[in-house]
Amino acid sequence: DFILKFLFFNFNTVNATSLYLGPDHGDYGPGDTFIVKVRLDNEGECINVVSADIKFPPELLKGVDFSKGESFLSLWVAEPQIDNEKGLVSFSG
């Protein structure tokens, strides 16, 4: 009984984070290439897992590459993937 209470009260899920994409505006034409940075605001909370599915209109945009260069994530549970048919970029770290 003590173990169940300990597990129940000490492991909480915190969803107090916000994901931002930048730049938030720009002028681009057909065939133009631009970089979108994914930023996370943890709102002062400690986090140890990040998972995201970012949707985009596949009839308008095409994902080309995903760079992990300056990421704070050092371990990737699911490597970043781009699915241009579904219009989806997903990753977990």
Side-chain angles (χ1 to χ4, degrees), residues 44-87:
E45 297 290 334
C46 292
I47 59 172
N48 60 4
V49 176
V50 174
S51 181
D53 290 324
I54 302 168
K55 295 181 181 180
F56 61 90
E59 65 279 3
L60 298 176
L61 299 172
K62 177 182 173 186
V64 178
D65 190 19
F66 190 106
S67 173
K68 301 182 290 184
E70 296 179 21
S71 177
F72 72 94
L73 297 171
S74 59
L75 177 63
W76 293 87
V77 177
E79 288 286 327
Q81 295 183 336
I82 301 171
D83 186 331
N84 282 309
E85 289 183 18
K86 294 180 181 178

Side-chain angles (χ1 to χ4, degrees), residues 17-24 36-43 54:
T17 59
S18 298
L19 193 66
Y20 298 96
L21 303 178
D24 60 356
V36 176
K37 292 187 178 187
V38 179
R39 299 193 182 271
L40 179 74
D41 180 1
N42 65 353
E43 299 178 10
I54 302 168

